Amino acid sequence: MLVLLPPSEGKAPSGRGAPLKLESLSLPGLNDARSAVLDELVELCAGDEVKAREVLGLSEGLRGEAAKNAELRTAGARPAGEIYTGVLYDALDLASLDPAAKRRAARSLLVFSGLWGAVRVTDRVPSYRCSMGVKLPGLGALGAHWRAPMAAALPEAAGSGLVLDLRSSAYAAAWRPKGELAGRTATVRVLHAPTRKVVSHFNKATKGRIVRSLLSAGAMPKGPAELVEALRDLGYEVEAQPPVKAGTAWGLDVLVDEIH
């Protein structure tokens, strides 16, 4: 099982660890594309701060984020699972998983990123600010920048098993499973059961809890149908929409009664 996660807007500080080693990251086929984004981002943020904030969509109050990006090559690095914070990652709470569940997380979780493309939670990276929606002056829109290298690297990472896609639309645009792989991919919506409306904040929390539940239980469904059964066994109310045509993903609606 491969679980695709969005990153978080906010991130924990880099800390005092050894700096980034690009060659040590998972999915080495992405390294040329990573290096190109890293080089331009560092150069941009080391120059005109106003321009950097404009490109990155940062307010005056977030000017320190541009300065942080300027130091990415020398800043301390930490496991990505410690860098990403926010609602989904709080609910997932990787640090409190038991050792076996942590090993499953290391194998199964892949976090998408405007800067790194995608990383494992064990990959050591510095704290940064660069969303997939950014359009760099030289490279252009990052979603488009990542499509070709992702198309080459991600099918191998997915292997022959289930792909559980929990990304937001901006990150999904960087890579969409195609063909046979799409048929064993499941996307998830979180709906308020009484109204059948999509929820926002609780959407992220529920997705984090779903991943935690699967990892903690040792559930390794082989395909979307098995995933539906596994989630129901774990107490989730799930409605499934199998693909209506070849080359499209399953859609799963997880219904929740409370929004908090």
Side-chain angles (χ1 to χ4, degrees), residues 21-250:
K21 292 183 178 179
L22 205 62
E23 66 275 11
S24 73
L25 298 183
S26 303
L27 305 178
L30 300 179
N31 278 350
D32 286 347
R34 287 167 174 156
S35 184
V37 179
L38 181 62
D39 286 346
E40 184 168 354
L41 186 61
V42 169
E43 182 178 0
L44 172 71
C45 293
D48 186 332
E49 179 202 295
V50 174
K51 180 180 179 181
R53 286 197 289 110
E54 179 182 351
V55 170
L56 297 175
L58 301 176
S59 66
E60 173 68 24
L62 293 174
R63 61 190 304 172
E65 297 292 288
K68 181 170 68 176
N69 282 348
E71 306 296 328
L72 282 172
R73 289 197 177 277
T74 56
R78 296 168 60 185
E82 298 177 12
I83 289 288
Y84 294 112
T85 60
V87 175
L88 187 154
Y89 291 91
D90 287 347
L92 174 54
D93 196 8
L94 286 168
S96 69
L97 291 172
D98 65 56
K102 286 180 178 177
R103 289 193 292 272
R104 288 189 281 271
R107 294 192 301 267
S108 301
L109 306 187
L110 200 62
V111 184
F112 274 60
S113 162
L115 174 53
W116 314 118
V119 291
R120 303 281 186 185
V121 292
T122 50
D123 285 334
R124 298 180 64 85
V125 295
S127 185
Y128 68 96
R129 191 67 170 248
C130 183
S131 72
M132 191 66 78
V134 164
K135 184 176 182 179
L136 292 174
L139 291 177
L142 291 180
H145 171 75
W146 284 113
R147 281 185 199 126
M150 289 283 196
L154 266 293
E156 181 178 355
S160 59
L162 167 72
V163 176
L164 175 53
D165 189 352
L166 302 178
R167 298 172 296 165
S168 57
S169 57
Y171 291 89
W175 179 67
R176 299 185 189 279
K178 296 181 179 180
E180 179 271 336
L181 179 54
R184 49 187 167 89
T185 297
T187 62
V188 172
R189 296 191 306 174
V190 180
L191 303 182
H192 184 216
T195 64
R196 295 302 172 111
K197 291 183 178 179
V198 176
V199 298
S200 53
H201 173 91
F202 197 55
N203 167 62
K204 295 178 181 179
T206 300
K207 288 178 178 179
R209 290 170 189 155
I210 285 171
V211 176
R212 181 179 178 87
S213 296
L214 291 168
L215 294 173
S216 297
M220 299 299 287
K222 296 180 179 180
E226 292 87 346
L227 172 64
V228 172
E229 293 307 312
L231 291 176
R232 288 173 177 164
D233 289 345
L234 290 167
Y236 292 94
E237 185 177 356
V238 183
E239 295 179 351
Q241 296 84 42
V244 295
K245 61 180 180 179
T248 57
W250 285 59

